[in-house]
Amino acid sequence: LRSSLRTLQQGVRLESCGKDVISTGTPGLDSILPDQGLQRGTLSEWIAAEPGSGVASLAVRVAGQAQRDGPLILVDTHRHFYTPAFIAAGLQAGEVILVRPTSRAHELWTIEQSLKCSGIGAVFCTIDYLKTKEFRRLQLAAESGTAIGLLLRPATASRQSGWADVRLLVSPRASPPQSLCRRVNVRCLYARGGLTDRTVELDICDETGAVCLAAGFSDSAVE
């Protein structure tokens, strides 16, 4: 069955040849994604298994990679994001457009319109709950634009259906003694056109912001 699924996966990937794929900036994370990165014009969900899991640190790296081809639109309705910290993580300050909507309706409109724009590198936001119709509108908006949609979601999102092209669950793991790094487990819950339930363990250095394959984790993609 796994062999048959791989054959089907390869067929789907052939259809996507020529599409613009952006690396996550972390080879170990790329390895669990069907296209070795994220395609432009798609939505990805970054689900935190619990607060402080490191999900924002990983998504910011992707946003930084996507900035090479266009600005990042940062939708911060609840003022959760500390912009200087994002800049320290590698974002280009001159290529960040910060939008702070004043209502949920304004927030959804902002995200949708941002995803539709051409020439945008990424759209980054935290959003707790999405109705099926709202999620579908965002997915269609992403399809019509050039951005990578990065939706940071709470743990409850993993139990909801959605329209994201990629769903990643980020969970904390115990770090080695005296380590300056946070260890996280990233599980690919869903990837359109690819196998799911692939995982990787990564170390996030809080001092430098660097992300690398966890020490001793020899196989970067475990099924």
Side-chain angles (χ1 to χ4, degrees):
L1 176 59
R2 188 172 297 281
S3 176
S4 298
L5 288 172
R6 286 192 182 281
T7 300
L8 289 171
Q9 177 187 355
Q10 291 170 359
V12 172
R13 290 187 63 186
L14 285 174
E15 293 178 3
S16 67
C17 284
K19 292 188 178 179
D20 194 1
V21 176
I22 302 299
S23 168
T24 63
T26 305
L29 183 52
D30 284 345
S31 71
I32 67 172
L33 299 173
D35 295 299
Q36 300 294 297
L38 298 174
Q39 287 187 16
R40 290 201 172 279
T42 62
L43 274 184
S44 57
E45 278 187 285
W46 299 73
I47 302 171
E50 59 185 71
S53 65
V55 67
S57 299
L58 296 176
V60 164
R61 287 179 65 83
V62 182
Q65 295 287 316
Q67 273 189 316
R68 297 174 180 177
D69 297 314
L72 163 69
I73 297 181
L74 180 58
V75 183
D76 185 15
T77 305
H78 305 291
R79 290 167 168 73
H80 287 163
F81 301 130
Y82 181 56
T83 308
F86 275 41
I87 303 304
L91 294 182
Q92 301 174 43
E95 295 294 325
V96 176
I97 301 172
L98 179 63
V99 184
R100 284 180 166 158
T102 56
S103 67
R104 173 175 167 78
H106 188 196
E107 175 186 47
L108 291 172
W109 182 88
T110 300
I111 297 170
E112 183 178 353
Q113 296 305 311
S114 299
L115 289 169
K116 285 181 178 180
C117 289
S118 59
I120 299 299
V123 178
F124 189 108
C125 64
T126 294
I127 191 161
D128 293 339
Y129 178 73
L130 281 169
K131 296 178 181 178
T132 301
K133 184 177 180 180
E134 294 170 340
F135 212 149
R136 178 58 168 161
R137 286 180 65 92
L138 295 185
Q139 189 267 329
L140 290 174
E143 268 191 1
S144 66
T146 60
I148 293 175
L150 304 168
L151 307 181
L152 272 61
R153 310 292 311 281
T156 52
S158 64
R159 300 189 293 272
Q160 301 168 359
S161 60
W163 285 92
D165 298 274
V166 173
R167 307 187 85 193
L168 299 171
L169 177 65
V170 182
S171 309
R173 290 289 185 266
S175 300
Q178 300 180 341
S179 173
L180 296 176
C181 297
R182 285 180 291 161
R183 181 159 295 182
V184 299
N185 177 276
V186 184
R187 177 184 175 192
C188 184
L189 299 176
Y190 171 79
R192 181 182 295 183
L195 297 175
T196 58
D197 251 355
R198 296 166 64 84
T199 66
V200 66
E201 287 200 359
L202 303 171
D203 283 338
I204 303 173
C205 180
D206 290 323
E207 185 175 3
T208 65
V211 180
C212 62
L213 194 65
F217 199 76
S218 57
D219 186 359
S220 62
V222 178
E223 301 172 6

